[in-house]
Each structure stands twice: as structure tokens, then as C-alpha cells.
Amino acid sequence: MKRVFIVGAGATKVGEHWDRSLRDLAVEALLAAVRDAGIDKRDVQALYVGNMMSGELQGQEHLGALVATWAGMAGVAAFKVEAACASGGAALHQAYLAVASGLYDCVAVVGVEKMTDALPHDVTSALLTAEDQEYVVFTGATFVGLNALVYRMYMSRYGVKQEDVARFAVHCHKMAVNNPYAQFRREVTLEEVMSSPPIADPIRLLECAPVGDGAAALVLCNEDFLKRSPRDVLVEVAGSAVATDILSVHERRDPLAMAGFRKAAEAAMKRAGIEAKDVDVLEVHDAFTVLGVLTLEALGYAPPGKGWQLVAEGQLEPGGEIPTNTMGGLKARGHPVGGTGVYQVFDIVRQLRGEAGANQVEGAEIGLAQNLGGVAGTVAVHVLRRVR
Amino acid sequence: MVWAESVPRVWRERAKKYRLLGGKCPACGSVVYPHRQVCPYCGSEGLQLVELPRKGRVISYTVIRHPPSDFVGKEPYVVAIVELEGGARVLAQLTDVKPEEVREGMEVEAVFRRYREQSPDGIIEYGIKFRPAH
Ligand SMILES: [Zn+2]
């Protein structure tokens, strides 16, 4: 296996881009990543497009050829990678494999979702294509609702109060204030979160990642190709793993176990030769507050039922024990679904290069990004390491 | 919205949906709903077709207040994980109960109810919901 490096990274701001289409966003991010790498876009040999819902929301598939055409890259090997909300992480995994295998020297990945073209309940329905249509979607459950089932079990089992879990959203908003790419650059108070309307009890509006549009892109290459790039600080993809769990939470023996969290993280960390305690910056898939807290526990940063304490103590902030979602996470940076897994790595790349501005984690060398599809039916984990 | 209206898709699941037909794994003994070919827990094949008990209890529940497009107008409604006697779990709506009266651990029983219409003039989909047990 060849070593794989991220030599370029680019993104659009996450938000409601009424004036811009899915292809506009993808092309902007992709070209920004190519420029950042300081290479010629014709050097890119393959393109992986992470996206979930273009078929439902735009009636548009075949994104590989579409994006390649509009980016002036027609000719490259290109196709869409879909794994629900983990589409971005799964696409990056494919890009990693393509370079690691030695088949390609330089490839690009772009994660994109354009959600505001559709009405809210149609977006809800489109997101539900990630679940079992015959036996779950049929019941009228929503993704918020499925996470709410987990949330209620979590609070009951460990005697945790909702106020404590909901604090995760407060943290993310505080971080996003300093991220120019974030959808919500403003703080929220715990009182605002707790008094926002319930969407699917117990989950309240301000505990949910927002609907938004955006695209993020990365250029990956092998060691030989690095000579063509002017970059002096490099980021290596030290580990890349994808794991699945039984699709629907109610069928898992323990719906709180989140087996995929550990399985993917352990595989990626083993490949990178690190342990969870070595991670300097963490990106977790906080589509709902409870997922952020559950991840902190699954990765061993806190015992079961105690993840909320790290949030309350400020340990997730730069300078804390485990700086997490330092650019706002899904909650406040935003969650353009197929883009998210790539945005997470884009955020870590900025930290490892020392480009994170006011939220810089001093001396950050190792980052870990966890991207979930469905209620963690798919988990993609990447370990990134600064190499010079 | 149902992505592609389809009668055969509803028809072929009718026995499993109307009669709660599950599968019992010959190797690990797990009981799953609905019946399928392969055990999700141990990978063994040839699950025995069993009609599941119609009584169980609520393991967790939520109140859907922002529904997908094919349930618009029916909110708020309760969706719960019900663990049937014998261990199989079913995701289903609760009925004949107010959302604020639902509790974890509540005893419930299966009833046959209407779920959704594929479109205003499309097929009506029925299935099992659960109500408080008497
Ligand atoms: Zn089995």
C-alpha cells in the first residue's frame, strides 16, 4: 500500500444558496481544492462524488460525469458514492483506496448536497431513503424520530438529563462563530435549545443539524506526486475505514451499543498506529446532540452516561482534553448531507496546517473524523496526521 | 411522497405485515420481525416462519411532530419500538392512546390499522399498530 496525502482542500460556505445549483457548489469546491494543491486539474486521474439525495431532490444522477464536465475535467474516471449521510466519508474512503492501491497518483473527492431546492417534508422523505422502506419508513418514523428512540433509551438507562445532552449544541454554535464557512456563526444558550420546539420527542429543533447546501473537496496523492505541489505542510491520511451495523436501530440487540462506532474507529486507528488518547482534534457526526455524546463514550473519552460532562467542563474546546467539532460540527458548521464527511476532514486539515484561526488547537498533529450514515448503519472514520 | 407508487410492492409483504410473520433462527434461536432468509445476528440461513405473539411492551417511543410528506396531516403520532413476548422487536405506531399517556415499559397489543395512502388515488397501505393492552 502506498502512503496517501491530502495535498489540497477547498469548500463553499454552508448555507441556503438560493442562487446556486448542486453542480455550481461541487465545481466551486473542487476547483478550490485543486488551486489549494497548486496543481493542474488535468493531473487529477479520478473523481469521487459523495452525495446522497440528488436523485430525489434534483432528479439528477450520474454525478460523476456531470461534475467532471462542468469542472472541465471530462475524461477522468468519475462516479457517485452513496452511503446516506456517510456518502462523503465513503467517497473519501474510495479515493484513499484508489491512491493507496497504486492505481492512481492523484485523485479528487467532492462531497456535495443541495437541500434547499425542496420543501421541508420532501427533504424529510428523501433522507428516509436511507432507512428500510418496507418496515421502518412505512411506519411514519422520521430520522429525527429514530434518533429520538435512541435518545430516550440513553437518558433512561443512565439517568442523564436532556439539558446535559443538549449542551452539545451550545458547544458547536460557540465554535462556529469563528468559522467563515459555517452556516450559523452565532452562539445559542442552553435555554434557547431547551425551549425550541420539539421535532420528535424528546429531540428539540436546536438539537438537530440544520438543512443546508454546500460542497467540500480534497485532492489526494501519493508520495511521488507530492513533488509537483508547492505545499510544505502536508497531511497524511493515516487511516481510513468503513464499517456497517444492522441497518435499523430497533433490530440491534442493544440499540445504544453503536457497534459501528468502535469497529470503524478501531480499524482506522490501527492502520494509523494510534490510540484514541493520541487524537488532538476530533470531528464527530452530531446530526443530533445525543450522537455526539454517544461517540465520546464509544471512543473511550468518557464512561457510558458521562460524555456530557466533557461538554459541561469545556473539554471539547481548543485547549481542552479532547477538542471536538472545533469548527462547529454538523450542528453549526452545517450538514449538507453528502458533503459532511468531506467537510469534517476539510476542518481537520485546517487545524493540522495551523489555518484554523481563533479556534486553532496549538500543535495539533493527529485528527480523527467520524461520519455516520443513517442511525450509524454506516460509519466512516478517517485518521489524519500532519507530516511536515 | 412514496418514491414510486407500486401495488405489487405492498401485495408481496401482506402476510408478513398483516399477520406479524417472523423468523426463528435454527442456530442462535433469535426471533426477528419480519421473516427473512438470513439471521442478522449469526448469519445462519433457513429461518423458520413463525407467527409472532401479538402482545409486548414499549421499549422506547417518540412523538413525530414533523412528518415525512406521506404522513402530513396525521401528526402528532407515536412511533415506538415494541418488544414482543419471545423477544422479536417491531417498529410501529401506537394507536388508541394519547402521546402524553405513553410510557416506557407499557404493555401493548397488536391491532390491524391503516397506515398511509401512496397518493390521493393510490393504494392504501395497512399494517399492525399497537394499543394499550387490556
Ligand atoms: Zn441466528
Side-chain angles (χ1 to χ4, degrees):
Chain A
M1 296 245 302
K2 303 232 181 201
R3 294 174 71 184
V4 180
F5 299 87
I6 293 175
V7 74
T12 70
K13 182 183 180 345
V14 183
E16 297 179 2
H17 293 290
W18 301 107
D19 55 336
R20 316 188 51 223
S21 66
L22 180 138
R23 71 188 70 174
D24 292 339
L25 297 167
V27 168
E28 178 183 328
L30 183 55
L31 296 186
V34 167
R35 268 197 306 278
D36 183 64
I39 62 163
D40 188 320
K41 66 182 178 231
R42 278 160 295 204
D43 290 335
V44 175
Q45 296 162 305
L47 170 65
Y48 302 87
V49 182
N51 171 270
M52 177 184 172
M53 299 181 287
S54 67
E56 290 83 7
L57 300 182
Q58 281 79 37
Q60 179 72 63
E61 292 291 8
H62 209 180
L63 295 188
L66 179 84
V67 175
T69 300
W70 284 69
M73 293 163 66
V76 295
F79 52 83
K80 165 169 163 171
V81 179
E82 191 279 323
C85 306
S87 296
L92 176 56
H93 183 65
Q94 290 304 312
Y96 166 83
L97 294 178
V99 176
S101 72
L103 184 63
Y104 297 123
D105 301 318
C106 176
V107 306
V109 55
V110 57
V112 60
E113 205 76 55
K114 173 72 192 172
M115 301 174 78
T116 62
D117 280 350
L119 296 170
H121 55 253
D122 287 333
V123 172
T124 300
S125 290
L127 286 166
L128 281 165
T129 60
E131 254 297 344
D132 178 334
Q133 286 292 324
E134 316 294 4
Y135 288 92
V136 172
V137 182
F138 166 75
T139 67
T142 59
F143 257 104
V144 190
L146 296 172
N147 282 277
L149 296 169
V150 170
Y151 200 157
R152 188 182 300 279
M153 285 186 90
Y154 177 77
M155 289 193 294
S156 290
R157 185 178 301 176
Y158 299 111
V160 175
K161 294 198 300 288
Q162 186 168 6
E163 289 82 341
D164 291 325
V165 178
R167 215 180 283 277
F168 204 94
V170 178
H171 163 73
C172 288
H173 274 264
K174 184 176 177 186
M175 294 296 99
V177 168
N178 295 317
N179 179 5
Y181 294 89
Q183 183 165 5
F184 294 123
R185 298 187 66 185
R186 63 178 176 86
E187 297 200 36
V188 297
T189 63
L190 187 57
E191 293 67 35
E192 285 175 293
V193 178
M194 290 305 296
S195 60
S196 63
I199 303 298
D201 309 26
I203 295 181
R204 290 176 180 274
L205 177 65
L206 289 181
E207 292 188 274
C208 307
V211 165
D213 310 324
L218 302 165
V219 177
L220 278 64
C221 69
N222 62 22
E223 215 160 358
D224 292 338
F225 189 90
L226 282 178
K227 299 182 193 104
R228 296 203 223 169
S229 172
R231 288 226 150 261
D232 53 356
V233 181
L234 290 170
V235 173
E236 179 172 8
V237 184
S240 173
V242 174
T244 52
D245 197 350
I246 287 177
L247 177 63
S248 304
V249 279
H250 71 279
E251 288 204 331
R252 297 177 194 159
R253 286 201 192 281
D254 177 5
L256 293 184
M258 299 294 177
F261 284 16
R262 275 194 209 87
K263 189 160 193 198
E266 278 167 11
M269 289 193 290
K270 186 176 176 203
R271 167 69 59 188
I274 65 153
E275 293 174 45
K277 65 174 171 49
D278 300 322
V279 173
D280 300 311
V281 279
L282 179 66
E283 283 289 323
V284 304
H285 190 101
D286 61 316
F288 305 97
T289 50
V290 67
L291 292 177
V293 173
L294 276 170
T295 301
L296 293 171
E297 296 170 8
L299 295 182
Y301 297 114
K306 301 292 184 199
W308 63 273
Q309 288 179 349
L310 293 171
V311 195
E313 292 165 4
Q315 302 292 1
L316 307 192
E317 297 182 20
E321 248 172 61
I322 179 66
T324 301
N325 291 9
T326 60
M327 293 295 159
L330 278 64
K331 177 66 198 78
R333 181 239 294 122
H335 180 32
V337 172
T340 291
V342 186
Y343 271 102
Q344 293 177 317
V345 174
F346 172 75
D347 288 346
I348 288 178
V349 166
R350 286 191 289 159
Q351 282 285 5
L352 301 185
R353 284 180 183 171
E355 299 167 356
N359 292 357
Q360 182 64 46
V361 174
E362 290 311 320
E365 287 188 10
I366 292 173
L368 185 146
Q370 173 227 45
N371 183 202
L372 307 180
V375 190
T378 298
V379 184
V381 172
H382 286 88
V383 175
L384 296 309
R385 182 192 277 125
R386 188 183 70 205
V387 285
R388 65 169 134 105
Chain B
M1 154 186 4
V2 173
W3 295 106
E5 286 188 40
S6 170
V7 172
R9 195 172 173 185
V10 175
W11 171 81
R12 84 171 69 95
E13 302 294 328
R14 70 197 184 288
K16 285 187 259 185
K17 280 194 176 168
Y18 299 173
R19 289 174 50 212
L20 277 179
L21 295 184
K24 188 167 176 20
C25 176
C28 75
S30 298
V31 186
V32 295
Y33 175 78
H35 180 264
R36 68 201 71 181
Q37 187 178 353
V38 184
C39 175
Y41 305 110
C42 75
S44 295
E45 297 176 26
L47 269 63
Q48 180 196 349
L49 189 71
V50 290
E51 193 157 342
L52 297 172
R54 301 176 70 84
K55 290 198 168 181
R57 62 191 180 92
V58 172
I59 299 296
S60 189
Y61 68 96
T62 183
V63 185
I64 304 294
R65 300 181 189 277
H66 290 255
S69 43
D70 41 346
F71 286 86
V72 168
K74 297 189 169 72
E75 73 274 18
Y77 52 89
V78 179
V79 173
I81 301 175
V82 173
E83 188 166 289
L84 301 174
E85 291 166 358
R89 294 210 200 107
V90 181
L91 191 76
Q93 284 191 21
L94 300 190
T95 187
D96 304 353
V97 62
K98 294 194 182 97
E100 59 273 19
E101 291 168 356
V102 179
R103 295 286 178 270
E104 290 163 274
M106 202 167 108
E107 306 276 330
V108 291
E109 62 188 14
V111 285
F112 186 72
R113 287 285 192 276
R114 177 178 181 136
Y115 263 95
R116 65 178 177 185
E117 302 82 49
Q118 290 197 350
S119 70
D121 53 359
I123 186 173
I124 299 168
E125 298 186 29
Y126 294 89
I128 296 295
K129 296 186 183 179
F130 290 86
R131 70 180 176 199
H134 301 299

